[in-house]
Amino acid sequence: MLPPLARLRECAICGLLQTMPVLEHRHAACCARCGSLLRQSRAAPDGRALALACTGVMLFALAATLPFLHLDLGQGRQTMLITGPLALEQEGMWELALVVLGTTMLAPLAKMLAMIWVLVGLRLKRPARHHLAAVFRWVEILTPWSMVEVFLLGVFVAYTKLEDLAPVHVGGGVYAQGALMLLMAAADAALDHEAVWQKLESPDLALRAPPPTGKRIACDACGQVSGGGSLCPRCGDTLHHRKPDSLNRSWALLIAAAVLYIPANLLPVLTVIHFGQGAPSTILAGVEELGAAGMWPLAALVFVASIAVPVLKLGGLAVLLITTQRRMRGQLTQRTQLYKIVEMVGRWSMIDVFMISILTAIVQLGALATISPGPGVLCFCAVVILTMLAANSFDPRLMWDAAETSKDTSRR
């Protein structure tokens, strides 16, 4: 292995290249410039994360097969985890059905299976490091799209709305999904990504000297600092000094999201027909209904997740892009924090989408009661996905690069 002072690490937020010290268990290393977390060391991370991921797969099987909610209104009707996407597909919204299916079932399951595959593969006498590295990259790629906790909040909101129609019974699938959420969070907390990447290094790479000054490129996938080339010597991912065409791609995605945000709020997101009476409802109307029913905490939650958060993402990303293009040097730390907030909160706006998928699946009782999705929910889902992609396309290191370039120019 390399001597402790020879292992280099580039901060993924500000781009500062610095030496990564050897960390004791349960210690952390932060960037010397922007304060971002570089690594969190864990005690015995591999075995604990593997056990949690294996248990998570078993809980996923229970969550996928046990009933979720049961509505007792004349004739009983219950839902399962797959029922929501199927109901959306029957309503002609197959695009929305794919998103719900992917974020609530496919992405969480694929992430846990990929984690298990890598951690078990590392225990072999001759692990296929190149193959395992390619699989481990998907663990981080799938993390923001695995929305188990957001889906559970959507279940909670749907439950409160269903109580106005008829008695609702919670099935075992909800409890299994709740336990799965906790286990996935614990597995993420237990897994030391840098330790796994170091185990995936080939022996010759571990003994290799640090790259010479001026030829250092950090891999966006695994963080390995190398002396150039087209592919990362540790994980095989394509190397880029910065994300290609970051600003243009982020602007394109942001503008598309801003355009769709208008019909997402003006068009109805669902229509509730109860005993032959009802009308289409927008996102804001749904918040007002919750407030009128006295559910102010829930109304505040839906307002923040469905209205305030999208505005924050659109405005925050616009600020980051404009200040970066104008090479502004001021408030870099504050802008870095803004980027972290925008990246973190983006997925929580899916609460309304999950709630509507559950209501559409369970309330199909003919003349008694029917709930169907409206075109607004499709636009709103597109806004959420586009803003998440825009935040992912934006390279925060460009803010610090632009500030350094502006500083150098002003000195001449």
Side-chain angles (χ1 to χ4, degrees), residues 109-159:
L109 180 60
K111 177 186 174 180
M112 290 186 292
L113 291 177
M115 189 183 299
I116 293 170
W117 186 271
V118 172
L119 296 179
V120 171
L122 285 173
R123 295 170 178 264
L124 302 177
K125 292 183 178 180
R126 294 182 178 180
R129 289 185 172 88
H130 183 75
H131 165 73
L132 294 177
V135 175
F136 192 61
R137 289 203 303 265
W138 280 97
V139 174
E140 294 192 8
I141 293 173
L142 292 170
T143 294
W145 304 100
S146 177
M147 303 184 186
V148 175
E149 67 279 22
V150 185
F151 178 73
L152 280 175
L153 275 179
V155 173
F156 178 67
V157 177
Y159 177 86

Side-chain angles (χ1 to χ4, degrees), residues 114-382:
M115 189 183 299
I116 293 170
W117 186 271
V118 172
L119 296 179
V120 171
L122 285 173
R123 295 170 178 264
L124 302 177
K125 292 183 178 180
R126 294 182 178 180
R129 289 185 172 88
H130 183 75
H131 165 73
L132 294 177
V135 175
F136 192 61
R137 289 203 303 265
W138 280 97
V139 174
E140 294 192 8
I141 293 173
L142 292 170
T143 294
W145 304 100
S146 177
M147 303 184 186
V148 175
E149 67 279 22
V150 185
F151 178 73
L152 280 175
L153 275 179
V155 173
F156 178 67
V157 177
Y159 177 86
T160 59
K161 284 182 172 290
L162 289 170
E163 280 190 318
D164 294 335
L165 296 177
V168 186
H169 307 286
V170 178
V174 175
Y175 298 106
Q177 191 82 345
L180 174 62
M181 175 192 69
L182 297 176
L183 276 176
M184 291 188 68
D188 288 337
L191 186 64
D192 188 336
H193 287 251
E194 181 61 25
V196 174
W197 282 121
Q198 290 180 15
K199 290 184 178 182
L200 290 172
E201 290 180 353
S202 58
D204 61 325
L205 177 62
L207 297 173
R208 202 174 295 175
T213 304
K215 296 182 178 179
R216 296 170 176 175
I217 299 179
C219 176
D220 291 332
C222 70
Q224 173 70 20
V225 178
S226 59
S230 59
L231 298 177
C232 174
R234 179 158 72 175
C235 71
D237 195 27
T238 304
L239 289 176
H240 301 285
H241 177 63
R242 295 292 184 261
K243 292 182 181 180
D245 206 19
S246 172
L247 296 181
N248 289 335
R249 291 170 59 192
S250 298
W251 268 123
L253 292 166
L254 180 62
I255 292 172
V259 170
L260 287 172
Y261 185 68
I262 298 173
N265 283 273
L266 296 180
L267 296 177
V269 293
L270 79 164
T271 301
V272 180
I273 305 297
H274 190 202
F275 291 109
Q277 296 182 350
S281 174
T282 62
I283 295 176
L284 187 58
V287 174
E288 293 174 350
E289 290 174 5
L290 290 173
M295 302 177 184
W296 289 106
L298 192 58
L301 172 66
V302 176
F303 177 83
V304 170
S306 302
I307 297 178
V309 168
V311 172
L312 170 65
K313 291 187 295 181
L314 293 171
L317 283 170
V319 169
L320 294 174
L321 289 167
I322 292 172
T323 53
T324 301
Q325 287 186 322
R326 294 177 65 86
R327 301 185 182 278
M328 292 184 178
R329 289 182 287 166
Q331 299 180 327
L332 278 172
T333 303
Q334 291 82 353
R335 283 189 278 153
T336 299
Q337 293 300 322
L338 176 61
Y339 168 76
K340 292 178 181 179
I341 293 173
V342 168
E343 188 180 40
M344 178 184 64
V345 303
R347 57 213 303 272
W348 292 96
S349 297
M350 288 290 290
I351 290 176
D352 258 346
V353 176
F354 294 145
M355 179 224 16
I356 291 171
S357 71
I358 296 168
L359 294 178
T360 302
I362 197 171
V363 187
Q364 296 294 330
L365 303 174
L368 296 178
T370 301
I371 294 181
S372 57
V377 68
L378 193 59
C379 296
F380 183 77
C381 183

